Amino acid sequence: MQEENAPSATDDLPKPERVPFFQRLLDNPFLLLFLGVTMPTVFYIMWGIMEIATIPVAP
């Protein structure tokens, strides 16, 4: 029978640290690729719409 307070083999192992959310987010290469393609595309489309909206109407 094992004693209640006897040290076990798992007591010597350190607990695994929790990886922070932003580290997990930035360690994902496919997410970075997606953001690297999507963000400039969205900004250029918005910029183009703003440029078209500011062109004066032809007489």
Side-chain angles (χ1 to χ4, degrees):
M1 181 189 244
Q2 187 178 9
E3 293 182 27
E4 294 286 328
N5 296 331
S8 65
T10 59
D11 290 342
D12 296 336
L13 299 175
K15 292 183 178 179
E17 291 186 26
R18 186 169 173 267
V19 179
F21 172 73
F22 281 109
Q23 182 176 348
R24 286 185 289 149
L25 186 71
L26 294 175
D27 282 344
N28 187 345
F30 294 108
L31 178 65
L32 293 177
L33 176 66
F34 174 76
L35 290 176
V37 171
T38 304
M39 294 303 288
T41 303
V42 169
F43 285 130
Y44 279 125
I45 289 172
M46 288 175 21
W47 185 13
I49 291 171
M50 288 171 37
E51 287 290 322
I52 291 173
T54 59
I55 295 176
V57 179

Coordinates of all heavy atoms in Angstrom, one line a residue:
M1 N 0.8 -1.2 0.0 CA 0.0 0.0 0.0 C 0.9 1.2 0.0 O 1.9 1.3 0.7 CB -0.9 0.0 1.2 CG -1.8 1.2 1.3 SD -2.6 1.2 2.8 CE -4.3 1.0 2.4
Q2 N 0.6 2.2 -0.8 CA 1.4 3.4 -0.9 C 0.9 4.4 0.1 O -0.3 4.6 0.4 CB 1.2 4.0 -2.3 CG 2.1 5.2 -2.6 CD 2.0 5.7 -4.0 OE1 1.1 5.3 -4.7 NE2 2.8 6.6 -4.4
E3 N 1.9 5.1 0.7 CA 1.6 6.1 1.7 C 1.0 7.4 1.0 O 1.3 7.7 -0.1 CB 2.8 6.5 2.5 CG 3.4 5.4 3.3 CD 4.6 5.8 4.1 OE1 4.7 7.0 4.4 OE2 5.4 5.0 4.5
E4 N 0.2 8.1 1.8 CA -0.4 9.3 1.2 C 0.5 10.4 0.9 O 0.4 11.1 -0.1 CB -1.5 9.8 2.2 CG -2.6 8.9 2.5 CD -3.6 8.9 1.3 OE1 -3.7 10.0 0.6 OE2 -4.2 7.9 1.0
N5 N 1.6 10.6 1.7 CA 2.5 11.8 1.6 C 3.8 11.4 0.9 O 4.7 12.1 0.9 CB 2.8 12.4 2.9 CG 1.5 13.0 3.5 OD1 0.6 13.4 2.7 ND2 1.4 13.1 4.8
A6 N 3.9 10.2 0.4 CA 5.1 9.7 -0.3 C 5.3 10.5 -1.6 O 4.4 10.6 -2.4 CB 5.1 8.2 -0.5
P7 N 6.6 10.9 -1.8 CA 6.8 11.6 -3.1 C 6.8 10.6 -4.3 O 7.2 9.5 -4.2 CB 8.2 12.2 -2.9 CG 8.8 11.4 -1.9 CD 7.7 10.9 -1.0
S8 N 6.2 11.1 -5.3 CA 6.1 10.2 -6.5 C 7.1 10.7 -7.6 O 7.7 11.8 -7.5 CB 4.7 10.2 -7.1 OG 4.3 11.4 -7.5
A9 N 7.2 9.9 -8.7 CA 8.1 10.3 -9.8 C 7.6 11.5 -10.5 O 8.4 12.3 -11.1 CB 8.2 9.1 -10.7
T10 N 6.3 11.8 -10.5 CA 5.8 13.0 -11.2 C 6.0 14.3 -10.5 O 5.8 15.3 -11.0 CB 4.3 12.8 -11.6 OG1 3.6 12.6 -10.3 CG2 4.1 11.6 -12.5
D11 N 6.3 14.2 -9.2 CA 6.5 15.4 -8.4 C 7.8 16.2 -8.8 O 7.9 17.4 -8.7 CB 6.6 15.1 -6.9 CG 5.3 14.7 -6.3 OD1 4.3 14.9 -7.0 OD2 5.3 14.1 -5.2
D12 N 8.8 15.5 -9.4 CA 10.0 16.1 -9.8 C 9.9 16.8 -11.1 O 10.7 17.7 -11.4 CB 11.1 15.0 -9.9 CG 11.4 14.4 -8.6 OD1 11.1 15.0 -7.5 OD2 11.9 13.2 -8.6
L13 N 8.9 16.5 -12.0 CA 8.7 17.1 -13.3 C 8.1 18.5 -13.1 O 7.1 18.7 -12.4 CB 7.8 16.3 -14.1 CG 8.3 14.9 -14.5 CD1 7.3 14.1 -15.2 CD2 9.6 14.9 -15.2
P14 N 8.7 19.5 -13.8 CA 8.1 20.8 -13.7 C 6.7 20.9 -14.5 O 6.6 20.1 -15.5 CB 9.1 21.7 -14.4 CG 9.9 20.8 -15.3 CD 9.9 19.5 -14.6
K15 N 5.8 21.7 -14.1 CA 4.6 21.8 -14.8 C 4.8 22.5 -16.1 O 5.6 23.5 -16.2 CB 3.6 22.6 -14.0 CG 3.1 21.9 -12.7 CD 2.1 22.8 -12.0 CE 1.5 22.0 -10.8 NZ 0.6 22.9 -10.1
P16 N 4.2 22.1 -17.2 CA 4.4 22.8 -18.5 C 3.8 24.2 -18.4 O 2.7 24.4 -17.9 CB 3.7 21.9 -19.5 CG 2.8 21.1 -18.7 CD 3.3 20.9 -17.3
E17 N 4.6 25.2 -18.9 CA 4.1 26.6 -18.9 C 3.0 26.7 -20.0 O 3.1 26.1 -21.1 CB 5.2 27.5 -19.1 CG 6.2 27.6 -18.0 CD 7.2 28.7 -18.2 OE1 6.9 29.6 -18.9 OE2 8.3 28.5 -17.6
R18 N 2.1 27.6 -19.7 CA 1.0 27.9 -20.7 C 1.6 28.9 -21.7 O 2.1 29.9 -21.3 CB -0.2 28.5 -20.0 CG -1.4 28.7 -20.9 CD -2.6 29.0 -20.0 NE -3.7 29.4 -20.9 CZ -4.0 30.6 -21.3 NH1 -3.3 31.6 -20.9 NH2 -5.0 30.8 -22.1
V19 N 1.5 28.6 -23.0 CA 2.0 29.4 -24.0 C 1.0 30.6 -24.2 O -0.2 30.4 -24.3 CB 2.1 28.7 -25.4 CG1 2.6 29.6 -26.5 CG2 3.0 27.5 -25.2
P20 N 1.5 31.9 -24.2 CA 0.6 33.0 -24.3 C -0.1 33.0 -25.7 O 0.3 32.4 -26.7 CB 1.6 34.2 -24.3 CG 2.8 33.7 -23.6 CD 2.9 32.2 -24.0
F21 N -1.3 33.7 -25.7 CA -2.2 33.7 -26.8 C -1.5 34.2 -28.1 O -1.5 33.7 -29.1 CB -3.4 34.4 -26.5 CG -4.3 34.6 -27.7 CD1 -5.0 33.6 -28.3 CD2 -4.4 35.9 -28.3 CE1 -5.8 33.8 -29.4 CE2 -5.2 36.1 -29.4 CZ -5.9 35.0 -29.9
F22 N -0.8 35.4 -27.9 CA -0.2 36.1 -29.1 C 1.0 35.3 -29.6 O 1.2 35.3 -30.8 CB 0.2 37.5 -28.7 CG -1.0 38.4 -28.8 CD1 -1.5 39.0 -27.6 CD2 -1.6 38.8 -30.0 CE1 -2.6 39.8 -27.6 CE2 -2.7 39.6 -30.0 CZ -3.2 40.2 -28.8
Q23 N 1.7 34.5 -28.8 CA 2.7 33.7 -29.2 C 2.2 32.6 -30.1 O 2.7 32.2 -31.1 CB 3.6 33.2 -28.1 CG 4.7 32.3 -28.6 CD 5.6 31.8 -27.4 OE1 5.5 32.3 -26.3 NE2 6.5 30.9 -27.7
R24 N 1.1 31.9 -29.6 CA 0.5 30.9 -30.4 C -0.1 31.5 -31.7 O 0.0 30.8 -32.8 CB -0.7 30.2 -29.6 CG -0.2 29.3 -28.5 CD -1.3 28.6 -27.9 NE -2.1 29.6 -27.1 CZ -3.4 29.6 -26.8 NH1 -4.1 28.6 -27.3 NH2 -4.0 30.5 -26.1
L25 N -0.6 32.7 -31.7 CA -1.2 33.3 -32.9 C 0.0 33.6 -33.9 O -0.2 33.3 -35.1 CB -1.8 34.6 -32.5 CG -2.6 35.4 -33.5 CD1 -3.9 34.6 -33.9 CD2 -3.0 36.8 -33.0
L26 N 1.1 34.2 -33.4 CA 2.2 34.6 -34.3 C 3.0 33.4 -34.7 O 3.9 33.5 -35.6 CB 3.0 35.7 -33.7 CG 2.2 37.0 -33.5 CD1 3.1 38.0 -32.8 CD2 1.8 37.5 -34.8
D27 N 2.9 32.2 -34.1 CA 3.7 31.0 -34.5 C 3.0 30.3 -35.6 O 3.5 29.3 -36.1 CB 3.9 30.1 -33.3 CG 5.0 30.6 -32.4 OD1 5.8 31.4 -32.8 OD2 5.0 30.1 -31.2
N28 N 1.8 30.7 -36.0 CA 1.1 30.0 -37.1 C 1.4 30.7 -38.4 O 1.0 31.8 -38.8 CB -0.4 30.2 -36.8 CG -1.3 29.3 -37.8 OD1 -0.8 28.9 -38.8 ND2 -2.5 29.2 -37.4
P29 N 2.2 30.0 -39.3 CA 2.7 30.6 -40.6 C 1.5 30.8 -41.5 O 1.6 31.7 -42.3 CB 3.7 29.6 -41.1 CG 3.4 28.3 -40.4 CD 2.8 28.7 -39.1
F30 N 0.5 29.9 -41.5 CA -0.6 30.1 -42.5 C -1.4 31.3 -42.1 O -1.9 32.0 -43.0 CB -1.4 28.8 -42.5 CG -0.7 27.6 -43.1 CD1 -0.3 26.6 -42.2 CD2 -0.4 27.6 -44.4 CE1 0.4 25.5 -42.8 CE2 0.3 26.5 -44.9 CZ 0.7 25.5 -44.1
L31 N -1.6 31.6 -40.8 CA -2.3 32.8 -40.4 C -1.5 34.0 -40.8 O -2.1 35.0 -41.3 CB -2.6 32.8 -38.9 CG -3.3 34.0 -38.4 CD1 -4.7 34.1 -39.0 CD2 -3.3 34.0 -36.9
L32 N -0.2 34.0 -40.7 CA 0.6 35.1 -41.1 C 0.5 35.3 -42.6 O 0.5 36.5 -43.0 CB 2.0 34.9 -40.6 CG 2.2 35.0 -39.1 CD1 3.7 34.7 -38.8 CD2 1.8 36.3 -38.5
L33 N 0.6 34.3 -43.3 CA 0.4 34.4 -44.8 C -0.9 35.0 -45.2 O -1.0 35.9 -46.0 CB 0.6 33.0 -45.4 CG 0.4 32.9 -46.9 CD1 1.5 33.7 -47.7 CD2 0.4 31.5 -47.4
F34 N -2.0 34.5 -44.5 CA -3.3 35.0 -44.8 C -3.4 36.5 -44.5 O -3.9 37.3 -45.3 CB -4.3 34.2 -44.0 CG -5.7 34.7 -44.1 CD1 -6.5 34.5 -45.3 CD2 -6.3 35.4 -43.1 CE1 -7.8 35.0 -45.4 CE2 -7.6 35.9 -43.2 CZ -8.3 35.7 -44.3
L35 N -2.9 36.9 -43.3 CA -3.0 38.3 -43.0 C -2.1 39.1 -43.9 O -2.5 40.3 -44.2 CB -2.5 38.4 -41.5 CG -3.5 37.9 -40.5 CD1 -2.9 38.0 -39.1 CD2 -4.8 38.6 -40.5
G36 N -0.9 38.6 -44.3 CA 0.0 39.3 -45.1 C -0.6 39.6 -46.5 O -0.2 40.5 -47.2
V37 N -1.5 38.7 -47.0 CA -2.1 38.9 -48.3 C -3.4 39.7 -48.2 O -3.7 40.6 -49.0 CB -2.4 37.5 -49.0 CG1 -3.2 37.7 -50.2 CG2 -1.1 36.9 -49.3
T38 N -4.2 39.4 -47.1 CA -5.5 40.0 -47.0 C -5.5 41.5 -46.6 O -6.2 42.3 -47.1 CB -6.3 39.2 -45.9 OG1 -6.4 37.8 -46.3 CG2 -7.7 39.7 -45.8
M39 N -4.6 41.8 -45.6 CA -4.6 43.2 -45.1 C -4.2 44.2 -46.2 O -5.0 45.2 -46.3 CB -3.7 43.3 -43.9 CG -4.2 42.5 -42.7 SD -5.9 43.0 -42.1 CE -5.5 44.6 -41.4
P40 N -3.2 44.0 -46.9 CA -2.9 45.0 -48.0 C -4.0 45.0 -49.0 O -4.3 46.1 -49.6 CB -1.6 44.5 -48.6 CG -0.9 43.7 -47.5 CD -2.1 43.0 -46.8
T41 N -4.5 43.9 -49.4 CA -5.6 43.9 -50.4 C -6.8 44.7 -49.9 O -7.3 45.6 -50.7 CB -6.1 42.4 -50.6 OG1 -5.0 41.7 -51.0 CG2 -7.2 42.4 -51.7
V42 N -7.2 44.5 -48.7 CA -8.3 45.3 -48.1 C -8.0 46.8 -48.1 O -8.8 47.6 -48.5 CB -8.7 44.8 -46.7 CG1 -9.7 45.7 -46.0 CG2 -9.3 43.4 -46.8
F43 N -6.8 47.2 -47.7 CA -6.4 48.6 -47.6 C -6.4 49.2 -49.0 O -6.8 50.3 -49.2 CB -5.1 48.8 -46.9 CG -5.3 48.6 -45.4 CD1 -4.4 47.8 -44.7 CD2 -6.2 49.3 -44.7 CE1 -4.5 47.6 -43.3 CE2 -6.4 49.1 -43.3 CZ -5.5 48.3 -42.6
Y44 N -5.8 48.5 -50.0 CA -5.8 49.0 -51.3 C -7.1 49.2 -51.9 O -7.4 50.1 -52.6 CB -4.9 48.2 -52.2 CG -3.4 48.4 -52.1 CD1 -2.5 47.4 -51.8 CD2 -2.9 49.7 -52.2 CE1 -1.2 47.7 -51.6 CE2 -1.5 50.0 -52.1 CZ -0.7 49.0 -51.8 OH 0.6 49.2 -51.6
I45 N -8.0 48.3 -51.7 CA -9.4 48.4 -52.1 C -10.1 49.6 -51.5 O -10.8 50.4 -52.2 CB -10.2 47.1 -51.9 CG1 -9.7 46.0 -52.8 CG2 -11.7 47.3 -52.1 CD1 -10.3 44.6 -52.5
M46 N -9.9 49.8 -50.2 CA -10.5 50.9 -49.5 C -9.9 52.2 -50.0 O -10.6 53.2 -50.3 CB -10.3 50.8 -48.0 CG -11.1 49.8 -47.3 SD -10.8 49.4 -45.6 CE -10.1 50.9 -45.0
W47 N -8.6 52.2 -50.3 CA -7.9 53.4 -50.8 C -8.5 53.7 -52.2 O -8.7 54.9 -52.5 CB -6.4 53.2 -50.8 CG -5.6 54.3 -51.3 CD1 -5.9 55.6 -51.4 CD2 -4.2 54.3 -51.6 NE1 -4.9 56.4 -51.8 CE2 -3.8 55.6 -51.9 CE3 -3.3 53.2 -51.7 CZ2 -2.5 55.9 -52.3 CZ3 -2.0 53.5 -52.1 CH2 -1.6 54.8 -52.4
G48 N -8.7 52.7 -53.0 CA -9.2 52.9 -54.4 C -10.6 53.5 -54.4 O -11.0 54.4 -55.1
I49 N -11.4 53.0 -53.5 CA -12.8 53.4 -53.3 C -12.8 54.9 -52.9 O -13.6 55.7 -53.4 CB -13.6 52.6 -52.4 CG1 -13.8 51.2 -53.0 CG2 -14.9 53.2 -52.0 CD1 -14.4 50.1 -52.1
M50 N -11.9 55.2 -52.0 CA -11.8 56.6 -51.5 C -11.4 57.6 -52.6 O -11.8 58.7 -52.8 CB -10.9 56.7 -50.3 CG -11.5 56.2 -49.0 SD -10.4 56.0 -47.6 CE -9.4 57.5 -47.7
E51 N -10.4 57.1 -53.4 CA -9.9 57.9 -54.6 C -11.0 58.1 -55.6 O -11.2 59.2 -56.1 CB -8.7 57.2 -55.2 CG -7.5 57.3 -54.4 CD -6.9 58.7 -54.3 OE1 -7.0 59.4 -55.3 OE2 -6.4 59.1 -53.2
I52 N -11.8 57.1 -55.9 CA -12.9 57.2 -56.9 C -14.0 58.1 -56.3 O -14.5 58.9 -57.1 CB -13.4 55.8 -57.2 CG1 -12.4 55.0 -58.0 CG2 -14.7 55.9 -58.0 CD1 -12.8 53.6 -58.3
A53 N -14.2 58.0 -55.0 CA -15.3 58.9 -54.4 C -14.9 60.4 -54.4 O -15.7 61.2 -54.4 CB -15.6 58.4 -53.0
T54 N -13.6 60.7 -54.5 CA -13.2 62.1 -54.4 C -13.0 62.7 -55.8 O -12.7 63.9 -55.9 CB -11.8 62.2 -53.6 OG1 -10.8 61.4 -54.2 CG2 -12.0 61.8 -52.2
I55 N -13.1 61.9 -56.9 CA -13.0 62.5 -58.2 C -14.2 63.4 -58.5 O -15.4 62.9 -58.3 CB -12.9 61.4 -59.3 CG1 -11.6 60.6 -59.1 CG2 -13.0 61.9 -60.7 CD1 -11.5 59.4 -60.0
P56 N -14.0 64.6 -58.9 CA -15.2 65.5 -59.2 C -16.0 65.0 -60.4 O -15.4 64.4 -61.3 CB -14.6 66.8 -59.4 CG -13.1 66.6 -59.7 CD -12.8 65.3 -59.1
V57 N -17.3 65.2 -60.3 CA -18.1 64.8 -61.4 C -17.9 65.7 -62.7 O -17.7 66.9 -62.6 CB -19.6 65.0 -61.0 CG1 -20.5 64.6 -62.1 CG2 -19.9 64.2 -59.8
A58 N -17.8 65.0 -63.8 CA -17.5 65.8 -65.1 C -18.7 66.6 -65.5 O -19.9 66.1 -65.3 CB -17.2 64.8 -66.2
P59 N -18.5 67.8 -66.0 CA -19.6 68.6 -66.4 C -20.3 68.1 -67.7 O -19.9 67.4 -68.4 CB -19.0 70.0 -66.7 CG -17.6 69.8 -66.8 CD -17.2 68.5 -66.2

